[in-house]
Amino acid sequence: MPINITYNSIIKNYKQRGIFIIKSYKFVHYKNKIELNMSDTIERIKCLIIGSGPAGYTAAIYAARADLKPVMYTGMQMGGQLTTTTEVDNFPGYPNGTDGTAMMDDLKNQAERFGTEVRFGLATKVELSKEVGGIHKVTIDETTIIEAETVIISTGATAKYLGLESEQRLIGGGVSACATCDGFFYKGQDVVVIGAGDTAAEEATYLSNICNKVTLLVRKDYMRASKAMQHRVEKTKNIEVKFNTELDEVLGGNVVEGVRTVNNITNEKEEIDVTGVFIAIGHKPNTEIFKGILDMDETGYLITEGKSTKTNLPGVFASGDVQDKEYRQAVTAAGTGCMAALDSERYLGALE
Ligand code: NDP
């Protein structure tokens, strides 16, 4: 049975945290849990962070320490892409490596220690101000409106997968979309890479230094990768390129034991023994809700100004993979998250 609690005590609590309830409200108290019926409510905050990967959490740590009282909405995949990786060996500060999910929990705890409010929810609509000092409106889950003086976008990018049932089932069990993250675990083993762009060429070359043999599956009779990258692939002895070849099935129960390929000209099928399958068919930045509002390149990545995280709108900053199609590492995302918080702090400071 819910008990109504006083509006004033809640308002005081929210004001202390820099949150202002502007419109209607309804609070109910279930034992120790306070629930705020968010429909038809608007909060005014200094700093809103959208997305909970390394960029978002690092932005949160810096923004909270700068007293911007950030509120983060995590998106549907709390912790971002790294939570689909089992082990992370290349993030500085973890000499024995760590689990991707554990690392994101560490980052979340660190952000919360300084007062970041982390909430589960998806930004579904944005109305961003074009004015310096203007208020940006972000709708969460189509019901809650957050008004923010600054917005840090860290919505990341999503690796594209082929969509095969066996591929999806074995993500984390030998199927990966990141050679730099997971390649090390296939030392001395045989792997396949699927794709024909710069990422596929780069990942195949990277893996060739670690693995015994890399088979690159290219669906056309040519590669789309730059000539320089193609030459590197051609020159590498332990990379075999199979043209006109597609992945038909990933073989294995709990872990990858091989792949079945199909030649799309002859329909001939072949089984190859491999322990790792690297999908490198591109990434899609998560920028759908910003289309027509923020400047982005032809593939949808947000464009930031020079070395900063500034987008084309004042008070709106972008960090992590959503604005980086080249490096795409947890540590580089974290670096730009830090930059976005510093850019937000300076922007707000200049308004005072
Ligand atoms: P791209 O979109 O350039 O290439 C994707 C590749 O995946 C294409 O060759 C495509 O094949 C293939 N592919 C797509 N769907 C399938 C499928 N279902 N089955 C098999 N193959 C498929 O993505 P990248 O990630 O390679 O590159 C993105 C951008 O980032 C590019 O601009 C690239 O230049 C840049 N980049 C630059 C790097 C660098 O400079 N060091 C490193 C990595 C990326 P098809 O050709 O048949 O369409």
Side-chain angles (χ1 to χ4, degrees):
M1 181 75 179
I3 309 157
N4 286 322
I5 59 169
T6 67
Y7 170 61
N8 283 344
S9 67
I10 294 289
I11 289 298
K12 194 171 162 219
N13 176 286
Y14 270 69
K15 277 188 176 166
Q16 278 165 356
R17 286 147 60 200
I19 299 168
F20 297 88
I21 313 292
I22 289 171
K23 223 174 160 193
S24 65
Y25 52 88
K26 185 185 168 196
F27 301 104
V28 285
H29 188 213
Y30 293 92
K31 291 197 178 152
N32 297 325
K33 189 172 152 210
I34 294 168
E35 286 196 353
L36 169 61
N37 179 346
M38 299 300 266
S39 63
D40 208 23
T41 64
I42 300 179
E43 286 178 35
R44 169 78 56 88
I45 59 173
K46 275 189 183 167
C47 179
L48 172 68
I49 298 168
I50 313 174
S52 57
Y57 281 132
T58 308
I61 292 165
Y62 275 78
R65 285 171 57 86
D67 212 21
L68 302 189
K69 299 181 169 59
V71 172
M72 170 192 280
Y73 277 92
T74 61
M76 298 318 281
Q77 190 180 15
M78 198 165 179
Q81 289 181 75
L82 270 191
T83 57
T84 62
T85 309
T86 43
E87 283 178 69
V88 180
D89 261 353
N90 55 6
F91 198 88
Y94 291 97
N96 301 316
T98 183
D99 173 76
T101 306
M103 191 179 110
M104 297 319 296
D105 282 347
D106 285 346
L107 282 170
K108 177 174 178 283
N109 291 337
Q110 195 175 353
E112 286 179 328
R113 181 156 73 92
F114 298 111
T116 304
E117 188 162 333
V118 179
R119 301 176 187 170
F120 186 76
L122 186 70
T124 47
K125 188 181 160 201
V126 290
E127 291 167 68
L128 303 176
S129 171
K130 293 189 172 101
E131 309 297 324
V132 172
I135 297 298
H136 308 290
K137 282 188 190 179
V138 177
T139 306
I140 307 294
D141 295 333
E142 291 177 354
T143 53
T144 304
I145 295 175
I146 305 291
E147 291 190 339
E149 292 171 48
T150 62
V151 177
I152 296 176
I153 301 166
S154 316
T155 48
T158 308
K160 291 185 197 161
Y161 284 90
L162 298 164
L164 298 170
E165 184 279 323
S166 53
E167 170 209 58
Q168 293 298 303
R169 181 168 45 81
L170 288 163
I171 290 173
V175 173
S176 166
C178 180
T180 335
C181 318
D182 298 330
F184 181 77
F185 304 112
Y186 301 90
K187 204 171 181 178
Q189 300 171 39
D190 291 356
V191 299
V192 288
V193 175
I194 292 98
D198 280 333
T199 301
E202 199 170 73
E203 302 231 322
T205 313
Y206 178 85
L207 289 165
S208 71
N209 293 318
I210 300 166
C211 301
N212 177 52
K213 183 180 176 189
V214 180
T215 306
L216 181 60
L217 306 185
V218 174
R219 67 177 172 182
K220 291 187 179 144
D221 60 1
Y222 65 90
M223 286 183 71
R224 188 196 290 193
S226 61
K227 287 282 173 269
M229 300 289 274
Q230 287 190 49
H231 287 151
R232 280 175 69 187
V233 168
E234 285 160 15
K235 276 195 329 209
T236 307
K237 286 201 174 72
N238 62 341
I239 300 179
E240 181 187 359
V241 184
K242 285 181 179 282
F243 290 100
N244 295 119
T245 306
E246 296 179 36
L247 184 66
D248 191 44
E249 201 74 74
V250 185
L251 308 173
N254 296 324
V255 292
V256 170
E257 289 164 13
V259 290
R260 187 169 61 236
T261 64
V262 57
N263 183 302
N264 56 28
I265 307 281
T266 62
N267 275 333
E268 196 181 319
K269 296 197 177 182
E270 184 192 357
E271 286 190 6
I272 311 174
D273 289 340
V274 290
T275 48
V277 177
F278 290 87
I279 312 290
I281 61 171
H283 284 74
K284 192 177 175 302
N286 300 317
T287 53
E288 206 60 41
I289 57 169
F290 307 109
K291 277 200 175 130
I293 299 169
L294 290 175
D295 287 351
M296 44 184 84
D297 71 9
E298 66 291 347
T299 45
Y301 285 88
L302 295 182
I303 295 172
T304 48
E305 192 187 305
K307 284 185 181 169
S308 79
T309 62
K310 293 176 191 165
T311 67
N312 56 306
L313 294 182
V316 181
F317 306 93
S319 61
D321 286 13
V322 75
Q323 52 85 58
D324 169 23
K325 66 178 173 195
E326 198 173 332
Y327 299 105
R328 294 193 298 240
Q329 299 301 300
V331 68
T332 51
T336 57
C338 158
M339 288 163 62
L342 294 178
D343 285 341
S344 297
E345 188 187 356
R346 286 171 193 162
Y347 168 82
L348 289 170
L351 294 177
E352 283 169 4

